[in-house]
Amino acid sequence: MNRRVAVVEKITKANDRLAEVNRALLARHKLASLNLMSSPGAGKTTLVERTVAGLAGKYRLGVVEGDLVTSLDAERAAAAGAESVQINTGGSCHLDAGMVGDALGQLPLADLDLLIVENVGNLICPATFDLGTDHKVVVASVPEGDDKPFKYPTMYRGVDVLIINKIDLLPYVTFDMDRFRSGVAALNENVTVLPMSCRTGEGLDAWLNWLGDQVVRTRARR
Ligand code: MG
Ligand code: ZN
């Protein structure tokens, strides 16, 4: 047996057990949750800020921010009005379920309606670590180029919502929307695709509506 494969399998199994613990905790609080993933600079934290502001007065948000170092993003989420916790992974390029479990222990889960876990900016390994959240959301952005679904298929395969951010830049960069979307469709026919500009606010309402549906649906669960 290939030794490297065996080690990866063992790590994944340990992670999956902790993800189930997180899932049970979130279910007990009837808390809708998502794992937000993207490459660095696609606009995850700006999306978090817009989301917190857009749902203010309606839903209370908890945000777990994953970064190698600094608490800059947790500060931005808190300034926008969320309850936030920063995870510093040190060298690790992804969040795992154990880290998220520790962060959940620091949040007032009973007071929250929605939990967003912002993963470390990386299009590779975050896709393979289940965190125990309900939904996987990927933020792509127009300046990254239309070849990303072809080069990072794992990231697009298991995702529930794909946001295509920075559409206000479409006139200025080379990005073939049809090529990008057909690449995604070949990997994942069930994904909800939401073109958006967090800068102008275009497309934000569709996202906020989708989130509202998840909150309602999660509360109705027995
Ligand atoms: Mg960020
Ligand atoms: Zn990693």
Side-chain angles (χ1 to χ4, degrees):
M1 193 187 206
N2 182 311
R3 193 170 167 179
R4 200 169 143 190
V5 169
V7 169
V8 170
E9 263 175 17
K10 203 173 163 194
I11 291 170
T12 309
K13 269 187 191 156
N15 182 77
D16 286 352
R17 273 196 297 275
L18 293 171
E20 286 314 314
V21 174
N22 294 346
R23 191 166 281 120
L25 178 65
L26 295 170
R28 212 177 311 137
H29 289 282
K30 294 181 184 271
L31 184 52
S33 58
L34 46 104
N35 177 7
L36 190 60
M37 297 175 283
S38 82
S39 59
K44 291 186 299 305
T45 312
T46 305
L47 177 68
V48 166
E49 291 173 322
R50 298 286 179 273
T51 304
V52 174
L55 296 176
K58 201 170 176 202
Y59 298 126
R60 291 156 298 178
L61 267 75
V63 176
V64 174
E65 291 286 354
D67 282 293
L68 272 70
V69 288
T70 78
S71 58
L72 292 170
D73 285 1
E75 287 161 21
R76 285 173 62 184
E83 295 286 341
S84 74
V85 179
Q86 181 76 50
I87 297 173
N88 281 149
T89 62
S92 179
C93 50
H94 58 269
L95 292 179
D96 65 37
M99 297 174 193
V100 172
D102 289 346
L104 293 181
Q106 298 175 53
L107 283 170
L109 299 181
D111 300 333
L112 301 177
D113 301 299
L114 176 65
L115 174 78
I116 299 179
V117 180
E118 182 187 330
N119 219 308
V120 179
N122 174 356
L123 279 183
I124 308 166
C125 41
T128 57
F129 284 83
D130 182 11
L131 304 180
T133 52
D134 296 327
H135 303 284
K136 287 184 178 176
V137 177
V138 165
V139 183
S141 73
V142 161
E144 292 168 55
D146 52 32
D147 58 355
K148 293 300 168 288
F150 303 97
K151 295 171 79 170
Y152 301 92
T154 343
M155 184 49 84
Y156 293 88
R157 223 167 248 142
V159 67
D160 302 296
V161 176
L162 172 64
I163 290 169
I164 307 176
N165 193 24
K166 309 192 189 182
I167 54 169
D168 53 305
L169 297 180
L170 278 170
Y172 309 106
V173 295
T174 308
F175 184 92
D176 182 339
M177 185 63 87
D178 290 338
R179 181 178 185 232
F180 181 88
R181 292 189 68 149
S182 69
V184 172
L187 296 166
N188 185 338
E189 51 189 18
N190 299 316
V191 64
T192 299
V193 179
L194 301 175
M196 190 183 294
S197 167
C198 284
R199 197 179 70 82
T200 67
E202 188 180 353
L204 202 60
D205 281 349
W207 164 244
L208 298 177
N209 289 338
W210 183 85
L211 287 172
D213 288 347
Q214 307 319 310
V215 171
V216 170
R217 210 170 284 175
T218 305
R219 277 188 190 153
R221 255 187 235 154
R222 314 181 21 138

